[in-house]
C-alpha cells in the first residue's frame, strides 16, 4: 500500500472545499452528511439526557415530589423514544458508518449520495415532528406504545409522536439500503469480502435489520395512529381485534432493533481492539459471520418480550429457546476480542479504554439478558428495574461507550485535530465508575420487585430507596463524566494539536488519506493488496517470538 | 454490458398465462373444495402468477445470484414473521391442566 | 498488482455520476437498490398480510361475508387492467433497451392510462362501500360503519349478507384491513404514475438509449411489484369466501 | 435469607423457591463468566502492554478448536438454563385443579377481587395459607398486570379475554402486590396487599364478611333478568338453546364437527360473540351481549354457568387441602 499518494495537509479537504451554510445543507458528500447527523444526534442525546436526569431526581424519594404522575410518565416515555429512535439507532451508523464505510472500502462516496442527504432530512423532519409532540403536550404511552392504552385511553400526543417515528423509520431504511448497495457494488479493486474491516461487516448486518425490520414498525405505528384517529378497531378487543397482535408486530421490529443498536458498536469495538493491540483480529471469519448470525437469529426471538403477556406457553418456550441460541454469536465475539489481546502490543489510549469497558459491560448486560430469557425467572423480572438495568448496561455501557470510543478514535480523521489524551482517559474512567454506580443497583432493585415505569414506590421499602439514591448518585457522576468529552472535543476543534494523516500508525484504508480527507476521499482509487488489520507484512508471519521485525516506517 | 434482453414473444406468453391464471382463480373461487382447499388453490395460483411476473417481467430469471438472494431473503423473513406469530395463536389452547 | 485501476479512458456517458467508476457499476447499484427497496415494501405489506391472516383464521365466517359483498366483477376487471399495464410496462423497458424511444413513450402512456383506469375503478368501488355505510369506524366523520344486514331471503345487493357465524363487528374488521391494504396499494399506484410521468418526459427529451435505460428498468420493477401485491390482494380480499355463498344464514 | 440488606425479596410461595434457585444458578454462571473475562482481559492488558512505540506483534490467525470450544460450552450451559426455566414456567402456567378461585377485575387504577363465596375486596386480597389459589382476571380498559414479588408471579390482564394466574402461599403475612404493566397516569399507585392468613383466621375473616351474594348467585339472577332463561331454561336445563348443565370443563361438539374445551374463555366468547362457535344441533340465534355487561357481571354469569358443572372448584373454606 506504499503507493498511495497522501494529499498534502494544507490542501483542500472536505471541510474547506466549500463554504457557507448552503454548501452544508445541500452537500452530497457522505462525510459532511455524517457531520450533519453528528450535530443532530448530539442534540437529541442532550434532550434525552435531560429527561434521564429528571427521572433520577424524582426517584430519590418514594413519594411524588418533583412532578406529577402524568408528567413523570411523559418523562420516561420521551426519554425512551428520543434515546432509542433518535439517538441510539442512528448514532453509530449515521455518523461513523456514514463517514467511514466509503473510506474503508475505498469508494468515493455511498452509492446514492442524494438519498443519503434525503435520509438526513427525513430524520430531521421526523425529529421535528416528535419535538413538536413533546412541546405540544408530550406523550405518555411508554416507548412501546402498547394498545389499547395508546389507541383509546391516552390523552397525549400519540399521533404526532407516532408520526415522527414513522417518518424517521424511512431515514433508517434508506440508510440501510444505501449501505447494502454500497458494500455490494462500490468496493475498490482487491477489496474482497474477507478483506473488509469488521466495522463494515457489522454495518452490513445492521443494514439488513434496518431494511427487513423497520417497514414492519412503520406499518404498525401507522395502524396505531389510524386506530386512534378513526377508532376502527384493528387492535381493539371490543371490535374483535387483538392487543397481543400489536405486541407481536411491535417486537418483530423492536427486538431486532436492539441489535441495530448494538451491532455497529460491536463493529467499532472490533476495530479498536485489533488496532490498539496492533494485531489482526482473532478468528476474523467468526467475528464477521457472528454479526450476520445475530442479524438473522435476532429476528427469531421477539416473543421473549411477551412471556407474561398471555402468549401461548408453547410459543414462549420456542422464543426462550431461540433467545438462548442468539446469545452464542455474541459470546463468540466476546471471546474473540479477548483472544485478540493475547500477545498483542496493547496501548492504553482513550479509545482502547472505552473498548475494554465495553467488553466488560456488554458481557454483564448480555448475561443478564439470559435471566430474562429464562422463562420462570422472567415471570418475576419482567417489567421490573432488572430489565431497565439490563438494557442500559447494553445500550449505555455497551453502545454509548463504543460510540464515544469510536468518536475519539476517528476524531483526528474527522476533524483533523487531536483530542487531549489525558482528559480523555480521565473522563473514560469517570464514565465507567458513574455508569456502574447508576445501573448496578437497579439489578438488585429489580429482583426485589420494584416495577419499572413507577413514579412512586411504597415508603416502607427502605432498601428500595437506598438503591435509588445510589443510582441517582451514580447518574450524577455519569453526567459529569459525559460532559467532559463534550467540552474538550469542542475545544479541540480549535485548539487541538493538528493531526497527521495516520496518527495511530494503522493499516486501515481510512488512514491512508489525509486528515481531514479530501472530498472524494482518495486522490486515486486505491487498489487493495493486503488483508484487514495487516500490521506486519506477510513475510513476518514466520518469525519466531512475540514480535515481528520492526515495521517498515509508515508515512 | 452483459444484460439479457427479453424478447416481446416471451412477454406475450407470460401475459397470456397471467390472464389464464386470473380466469382459473375466478372459476375455482365458486367451487366448494373440501376442507381448506379453496385457500390452497387460490394461493397456489397467486404464487404461480407472482412467480411468472418476477421471473420474466422483472427479468430475475436472467439476473445475478445476488438478486435471487435478495428476493429469497425477503420471502424467508416474511416466513419467519408468519410462522412464529402463528405459533402463538395456534398453540394457545393446548395447555393441559395440572 | 501495480497497475492502476482501469479508470475508463473511453468517453464518459453524460449520465454517469461522479462517484461511480463506470455505467455498469451505476446500473448495478441502481437495480440492486430498487430490489432492496422492494424487500422493504414486502415487509411493509407483510405486516398487513399477517394481520389479515390472523383475523381471517379467527373469524372465517365474517371475513367470507364481508368478502362476498365486494364487487367481484370490478375486482376481476381491475386485475386484468393491472396485468395489461404490467405488460405494457415490460414493453416500455424492451423498447428502451433496443433504442426505440418513441415506442417507449407510447408504452409508458398506455401504462399510465391503464393505471389511471385501475384507480378510477377503485374509486367507484370505494364509493359503493361509502354508499353501503361500510367505511369502518369514524374514518369519515359523520359517516360511521353501519351496514344494513339482510334478513334470510332478502336479495338486496346493498345489504350485508351474513354467512352463518358472522358478526357485523368482525365484518368491520375485514373492511378495515380491506381499506388499509387497497388504500396503501392505491397510494403506491399513484406514486408509480408520478414516476412514469417523469420517465415519459425524460424519454421525450431523448435521454435513454441502449447504454442508459436503468431508470425505465428500475421503475418497471416497482410497477411490477405493485402488480404482484394486487395478484395476492385479489383472491384474498375478493374470492376466498365465494364458495360459501350458499350458506348464507 | 434476610441479611442486613436484602438482595432477594421475601419468599412466600411454593413457586418462589424454584425461581430463586434458578436465579442463583444463572447468577453463578454470570459471575463466573464476567470474572473470567475480566481477569483474562486485565491480565493480557498488563502483560502485553505496549513497551516500544514501534513494536509489531506477530499475527495469530485464530483457532478452530478454540472457536468450537467457546461456542459449544456456552451453548450447553445456556441449554441447562433454558430447560430449567421452561420446566418451572410450564408448571406455573398450567391451571391447577381444585384451586380456590378468585375473580379479579382491574381498571384504571384499582383492583377489585371477588371470592367465590361472595366477599368483595378492593386493592386487598385475603387468602388462606397452604391452599392453591387461582385468579381469573379481566380488565375493563387497558392492559394491567398482577405482580406479587413475594410469590414470584406475574401475568398480564388483557382486555377481551381472561387470563389466569395461580399460587400457593406458604407463609402468613402481608405482601405487596403491584400492577406491572404500564396503564396510564396512576400506574404506580395501582397496587395493594395480599394478606395471607392462617386457616382459622381466614375462616373468621370470611364469616365476618359473609353478607355478600356469591358471584354464582348474582349470575343466576342475571341469567333470569337478561332473558337467558327464556332460551336456556329457568334452570339452564335447555330449550331453544342448549342445556348448560355440565358444560364447563368438558368438550363441546360444534356444528362444524370440531370440538372446543369449555373453559372460562369459551363461556366468555359464547356470551359475547355467540356466533363464533355454534353448538351442534342449534341455530345461530343467540344474540350477542357485547357492550351490555360489565366485566364483573360477565364474570358472575360465567361463575353461574360454571356452578352448573360437576367439575367442582373448591370453595374457600378453611379445610386444609388433602395432602398427598
Ligand atoms: C442493544 C440493546 C439490547 C441487546 C443487545 C439485548 C440483548 C439481549 N436481550 Fe434484551 N432488552 C433490551 C435491549 C437489548 N437486549 C431492551 C431495550 C429491553 C426492554 C424493552 C422494553 O420492554 O422496554 C430488553 C428486554 C429483554 C427481554 C424482555 C424482558 C421483559 O420485559 O420481560 C429479554 C428476555 O428474554 C431480553 C433478552 C436478551 C438476550 C437474551 C439478549 C442477548 O442478545 C444477549 C447476548 C449476550 C451475551 C450472552 C453476553 C456475551 C456472552 C458471554 C460472555 C459468554 C457466556 C455466555 C453464555 C454462558 C450463554 N431482553
Ligand atoms: C439509548 C438509550 C438510552 C440511554 C443512553 C439512556 C440513558 C439513561 N437512562 Fe434510560 N431508558 C431508555 C434508554 C436509554 N436510557 C429506554 C428505552 C427506557 C424505557 C422507557 C420506557 O419505559 O418507555 C429508559 C428508561 C429509564 C429509566 C426507567 C424509568 C422508569 O421505568 O420509570 C431510568 C431510571 O433510572 C433511566 C435512566 C437513565 C440514565 C440515568 C441514563 C444516563 O445514562 C444518562 C446519562 C446522561 C447524562 C446524565 C447527561 C449527560 C450530560 C450532557 C450530555 C451534557 C449536559 C449539559 C448540561 C446540563 C449543561 N432510563
Ligand atoms: Cu394497571 Cu399498571
Ligand atoms: Cu428482545
Amino acid at each position: 500500500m506504499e503507493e498511495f499518494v497522501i494529499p498534502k495537509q494544507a490542501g483542500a479537504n472536505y471541510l474547506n472545499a466549500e463554504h457557507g451554510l448552503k454548501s452544508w445543507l445541500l452537500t452530497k458528500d457522505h462525510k459532511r452528511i455524517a457531520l450533519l447527523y453528528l450535530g443532530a444526534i448530539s442534540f437529541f442525546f442532550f434532550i434525552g439526557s435531560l429527561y434521564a436526569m429528571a427521572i433520577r431526581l424524582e426517584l430519590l424519594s418514594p413519594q411524588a415530589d418533583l412532578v406529577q404522575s402524568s408528567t413523570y410518565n411523559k418523562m420516561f416515555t420521551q426519554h425512551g423514544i428520543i434515546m432509542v429512535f433518535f439517538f441510539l439507532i442512528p448514532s453509530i451508523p449515521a455518523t461513523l458508518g456514514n463517514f467511514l464505510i466509503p473510506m474503508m472500502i475505498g469508494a468515493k462516496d455511498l452509492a446514492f449520495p442524494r438519498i443519503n442527504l434525503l435520509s438526513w432530512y427525513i430524520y430531521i423532519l421526523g425529529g421535528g415532528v416528535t419535538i413538536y409532540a413533546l412541546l405540544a403536550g408530550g406523550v405518555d404511552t411508554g416507548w412501546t406504545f402498547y394498545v389499547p392504552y395508546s389507541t383509546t385511553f391516552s390523552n397525549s400526543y400519540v399521533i404526532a409522536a407516532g408520526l415522527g417515528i414513522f417518518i424517521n423509520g424511512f431515514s433508517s431504511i434508506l440508510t440501510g439500503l444505501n449501505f447494502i448497495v454500497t458494500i455490494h457494488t462500490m468496493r475498490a479493486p482487491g477489496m474482497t469480502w474477507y478483506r473488509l474491516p469488521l466495522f463494515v461487516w457489522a454495518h452490513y448486518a445492521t443494514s439488513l435489520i434496518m431494511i427487513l425490520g423497520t417497514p414492519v414498525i412503520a406499518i404498525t405505528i401507522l395502524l396505531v395512529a389510524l386506530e386512534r384517529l378513526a377508532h376502527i378497531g384493528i387492535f381493539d378487543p371490543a371490535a374483535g381485534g387483538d392487543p397481543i397482535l400489536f405486541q407481536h408486530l411491535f417486537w418483530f421490529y423492536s427486538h431486532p432493533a436492539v441489535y441495530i443498536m448494538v451491532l455497529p458498536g460491536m463493529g467499532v469495538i472490533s476495530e479498536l481492539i485489533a488496532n490498539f493491540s496492533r494485531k489482526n483480529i482473532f478468528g476474523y471469519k467468526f467475528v464477521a459471520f457472528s454479526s450476520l448470525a445475530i442479524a438473522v437469529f435476532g429476528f427469531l426471538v421477539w416473543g421473549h418480550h411477551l412471556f407474561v403477556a398471555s402468549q401461548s406457553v408453547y410459543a414462549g418456550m420456542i422464543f426462550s429457546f431461540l433467545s438462548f441460541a442468539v446469545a452464542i454469536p455474541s459470546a463468540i465475539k466476546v471471546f474473540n476480542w479477548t483472544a485478540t489481546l493475547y500477545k498483542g502490543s496493547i496501548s492504553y489510549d482513550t479509545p482502547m479504554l472505552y473498548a475494554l469497558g465495553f467488553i466488560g459491560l456488554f458481557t454483564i448486560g448480555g448475561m443478564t439478558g439470559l435471566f430474562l430469557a429464562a422463562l420462570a425467572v422472567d415471570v418475576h423480572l419482567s417489567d421490573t428495574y432488572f430489565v431497565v438495568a439490563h438494557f442500559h448496561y447494553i445500550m449505555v455501557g455497551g453502545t454509548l461507550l463504543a460510540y464515544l470510543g469510536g468518536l475519539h478514535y476517528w476524531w483526528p480523521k474527522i476533524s483533523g485535530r487531536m483530542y487531549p489524551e489525558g482528559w480523555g482517559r480521565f473522563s473514560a474512567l469517570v464514565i465507567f465508575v458513574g455508569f456502574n454506580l447508576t445501573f448496578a443497583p437497579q439489578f438488585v432493585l429489580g429482583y426485589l420487585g420494584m416495577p419499572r415505569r413507577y413514579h412512586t414506590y411504597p415508603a416502607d421499602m427502605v432498601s428500595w430507596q437506598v438503591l435509588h439514591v445510589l443510582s441517582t448518585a451514580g447518574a450524577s457522576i455519569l453526567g459529569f463524566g459525559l460532559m467532559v468529552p463534550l467540552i474538550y472535543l469542542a475545544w479541540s476543534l480549535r485548539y487541538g494539536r493538528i493531526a497527521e494523516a495516520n496518527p495511530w500508525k494503522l493499516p486501515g484504508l481510512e488512514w491512508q488519506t489525509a486528515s481531514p480527507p479530501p472530498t472524494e476521499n482518495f486522490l486515486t482509487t486505491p487498489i487493495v493488496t493486503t488483508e484487514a488489520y495487516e500490521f506486519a507484512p506477510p513475510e513476518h508471519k514466520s518469525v519466531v517470538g512475540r514480535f515481528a521485525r520492526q515495521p517498515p516506517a509508515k508515512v | 454490458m452483459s444484460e439479457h434482453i427479453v424478447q416481446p414473444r416471451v412477454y406475450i406468453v407470460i401475459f397470456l398465462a397471467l390472464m389464464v391464471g386470473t380466469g382459473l382463480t375466478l372459476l375455482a373461487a365458486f367451487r366448494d373444495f373440501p376442507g381448506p382447499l379453496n385457500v390452497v388453490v387460490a394461493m397456489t395460483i397467486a404464487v404461480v402468477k407472482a412467480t411468472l411476473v418476477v421471473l420474466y417481467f422483472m427479468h430475475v430469471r436472467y439476473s445475478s445470484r445476488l438478486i435471487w438472494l435478495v428476493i429469497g431473503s425477503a420471502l424467508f423473513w416474511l416466513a419467519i414473521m408468519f410462522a412464529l406469530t402463528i405459533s402463538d395463536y395456534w398453540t394457545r389452547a393446548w395447555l393441559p391442566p395440572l | 498488482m501495480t497497475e492502476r485501476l482501469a479508470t475508463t479512458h473511453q468517453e464518459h456517458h453524460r449520465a454517469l455520476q461522479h462517484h461511480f467508476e463506470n455505467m455498469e457499476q451505476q446500473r448495478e447499484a441502481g437495480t440492486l437498490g430498487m430490489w432492496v427497496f422492494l424487500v422493504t415494501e414486502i415487509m411493509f405489506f407483510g405486516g398487513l398480510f399477517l394481520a389479515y391472516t390472523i383475523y381471517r383464521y379467527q373469524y372465517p365466517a365474517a371475513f367470507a361475508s364481508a368478502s362476498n359483498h365486494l364487487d367481484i366483477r370490478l375486482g376481476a376487471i381491475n386485475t386484468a387492467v393491472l396485468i395489461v399495464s404490467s405488460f405494457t410496462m415490460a414493453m416500455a423497458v424492451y423498447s428502451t433497451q433496443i433504442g426505440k424511444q418513441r415506442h417507449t413513450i407510447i408504452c409508458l402512456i398506455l401504462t399510465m392510462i391503464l393505471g389511471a383506469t385501475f384507480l378510477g375503478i377503485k374509486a367507484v368501488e370505494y364509493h359503493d362501500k361509502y354508499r353501503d355505510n361500510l367505511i369502518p369506524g369514524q374514518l369519515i366523520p359523520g359517516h360511521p360503519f353501519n351496514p344494513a344486514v339482510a334478513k334470510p331471503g332478502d336479495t338486496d345487493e346493498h345489504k350485508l349478507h351474513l354467512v352463518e357465524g358472522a358478526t357485523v363487528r368482525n365484518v368491520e374488521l375485514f373492511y378495515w384491513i380491506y381499506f388499509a391494504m387497497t388504500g396503501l396499494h392505491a397510494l403506491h399506484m399513484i406514486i408509480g404514475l408520478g414516476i412514469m410521468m417523469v420517465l415519459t418526459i425524460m424519454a421525450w427529451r431523448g435521454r435513454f438509449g441502449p447504454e442508459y435505460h436503468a431508470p425505465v428498468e428500475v421503475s418497471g420493477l416497482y410497477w411490477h411489484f405493485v402488480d404482484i401485491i394486487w395478484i395476492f390482494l385479489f383472491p384474498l380480499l375478493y374470492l376466498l369466501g365465494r364458495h360459501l355463498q350458499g350458506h348464507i344464514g | 435469607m434476610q441479611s442486613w440488606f436484602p438482595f432477594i425479596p421475601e419468599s412466600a410461595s411454593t413457586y418462589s423457591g424454584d425461581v430463586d434457585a434458578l436465579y442463583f444458578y444463572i447468577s453463578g454462571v454470570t459471575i463466573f463468566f464476567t470474572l473470567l473475562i475480566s481477569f483474562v482481559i486485565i491480565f493480557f492488558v498488563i502483560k502485553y502492554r505496549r513497551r516500544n512505540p514501534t513494536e509489531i506483534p506477530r499475527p495469530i490467525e485464530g483457532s478452530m478448536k478454540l472457536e468450537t470450544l467457546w461456542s459449544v460450552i456456552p451453548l450447553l450451559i445456556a441449554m441447562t438454563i433454558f430447560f430449567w426455566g421452561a420446566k418451572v414456567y410450564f408448571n406455573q402456567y398450567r391451571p391447577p385443579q381444585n384451586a380456590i378461585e378468585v375473580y379479579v377485575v382491574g381498571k384504571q387504577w384499582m383492583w377489585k377481587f371477588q371470592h367465590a363465596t361472595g366477599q368483595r375486596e378492593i386493592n386487598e386480597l385475603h387468602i388462606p395459607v397452604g391452599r392453591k389459589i387461582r385468579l381469573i382476571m379481566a380488565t375493563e380498559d387497558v392492559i394491567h398486570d398482577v405482580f406479587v414479588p413475594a410469590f414470584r408471579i406475574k401475568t398480564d390482564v388483557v382486555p377481551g379475554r381472561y387470563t389466569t394466574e395461580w399460587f400457593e402461599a406458604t407463609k402468613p403475612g402481608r405482601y405487596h402486590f403491584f400492577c406491572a404493566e404500564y396503564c396510564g397516569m396512576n400506574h404506580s399507585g395501582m397496587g395493594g396487599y395480599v394478606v395471607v392468613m392462617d386457616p382459622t383466621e381466614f375462616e373468621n375473616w370470611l364469616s365476618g364478611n359473609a353478607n355478600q351474594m356469591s358471584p354464582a348467585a348474582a349470575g343466576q339472577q342475571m341469567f333470569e333478568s337478561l332473558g337467558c332463561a327464556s332460551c336456556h331454561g329457568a334452570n339452564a336445563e335447555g330449550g331453544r338453546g342448549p342445556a348448560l348443565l355440565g358444560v364447563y370443563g368438558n368438550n363441546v361438539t360444534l356444528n362444524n364437527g370440531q370440538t372446543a374445551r369449555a373453559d372460562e374463555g369459551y363461556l366468555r366468547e359464547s356470551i359475547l360473540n355467540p356466533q363464533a362457535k355454534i353448538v351442534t344441533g342449534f341455530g345461530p340465534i343467540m344474540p350477542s351481549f357485547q357492550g351490555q355487561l360489565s366485566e364483573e357481571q360477565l364474570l358472575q354469569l360465567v361463575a353461574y354457568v360454571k356452578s352448573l358443572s360437576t367439575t367442582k372448584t373448591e370453595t374457600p373454606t378453611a379445610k386444609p387441602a388433602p395432602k398427598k
Side-chain angles (χ1 to χ4, degrees), chain A residues 403-427:
Chain A
Y403 182 53
L404 288 172
L407 215 52
H408 282 84
Y409 171 44
W410 283 295
W411 192 250
K413 185 58 58 183
I414 296 173
S415 68
R417 302 274 180 165
M418 298 302 287
Y419 61 88
E421 185 60 43
W423 282 106
R425 291 183 195 172
F426 166 73
S427 57

Side-chain angles (χ1 to χ4, degrees), chain A residues 88 143-144 146 251 255 257-259 261-262 304-305 307-308 323-324 326-328 330-332 334-335 362-370 372-374 378 381-383 387 390-391 394-395 399 452-453, chain D residues 29 33 37 73-75 77-78:
Chain A
L88 207 54
W143 81 281
T144 47
Y146 271 20
W251 291 112
H255 180 81
V258 308
Y259 296 118
M261 302 180 224
V262 81
H304 66 209
H305 295 272
F307 286 160
V308 298
S323 302
F324 284 105
V326 79
I328 303 308
S330 301
I332 290 177
V334 169
F335 291 126
F362 172 73
T363 301
I364 297 178
M367 296 290 290
T368 50
L370 301 183
L372 301 172
D378 185 61
L381 291 177
S382 184
D383 271 309
V387 179
H390 154 67
F391 64 73
I394 298 187
M395 305 207 292
T399 309
R452 62 191 282 207
R453 298 172 172 176
Chain D
V29 174
F33 274 101
I37 289 166
I73 291 180
L75 184 67
I77 296 176

Side-chain angles (χ1 to χ4, degrees), chain A residues 383-522:
Chain A
D383 271 309
T384 65
Y385 264 75
F386 194 94
V387 179
V388 175
H390 154 67
F391 64 73
H392 282 93
Y393 256 83
I394 298 187
M395 305 207 292
V396 182
T399 309
L400 184 63
L401 289 206
Y403 182 53
L404 288 172
L407 215 52
H408 282 84
Y409 171 44
W410 283 295
W411 192 250
K413 185 58 58 183
I414 296 173
S415 68
R417 302 274 180 165
M418 298 302 287
Y419 61 88
E421 185 60 43
W423 282 106
R425 291 183 195 172
F426 166 73
S427 57
L429 242 99
V430 174
I431 289 173
F432 186 80
V433 172
F435 171 80
N436 280 298
L437 186 57
T438 312
F439 293 108
Q442 296 186 0
F443 284 123
V444 182
L445 203 51
Y447 202 73
L448 287 176
M450 165 89 193
R452 62 191 282 207
R453 298 172 172 176
Y454 259 34
H455 176 214
T456 58
Y457 46 95
D460 58 340
M461 297 300 210
V462 182
S463 57
W464 290 16
Q465 186 175 5
V466 172
L467 292 164
H468 272 305
V469 170
L470 284 178
S471 180
T472 304
S476 323
I477 300 177
L478 176 60
F480 169 71
L482 285 170
M483 251 143 61
V484 180
L486 193 80
I487 295 167
Y488 69 66
L489 286 182
W491 172 87
S492 79
L493 285 180
R494 230 194 137 103
Y495 305 104
R497 190 158 51 76
I498 303 274
E500 316 157 40
N502 190 354
W504 313 110
K505 306 279 177 289
L506 299 174
L509 268 186
E510 77 268 30
W511 298 110
Q512 313 310 321
T513 186
S515 305
T519 299
E520 288 194 340
N521 299 340
F522 305 98

Side-chain angles (χ1 to χ4, degrees), chain A residues 255-270:
Chain A
H255 180 81
V258 308
Y259 296 118
I260 298 182
M261 302 180 224
V262 81
L263 274 171
M266 292 170 153
V268 171
I269 298 306
S270 298

Side-chain angles (χ1 to χ4, degrees), chain A residues 67-86:
Chain A
V67 295
Q68 294 174 325
S69 288
S70 51
T71 313
Y72 179 84
N73 296 343
K74 285 175 184 161
M75 280 174 0
F76 70 70
T77 303
Q78 291 160 186
H79 167 69
I81 289 178
I82 288 190
M83 285 298 200
V84 167
F85 294 108
F86 295 97

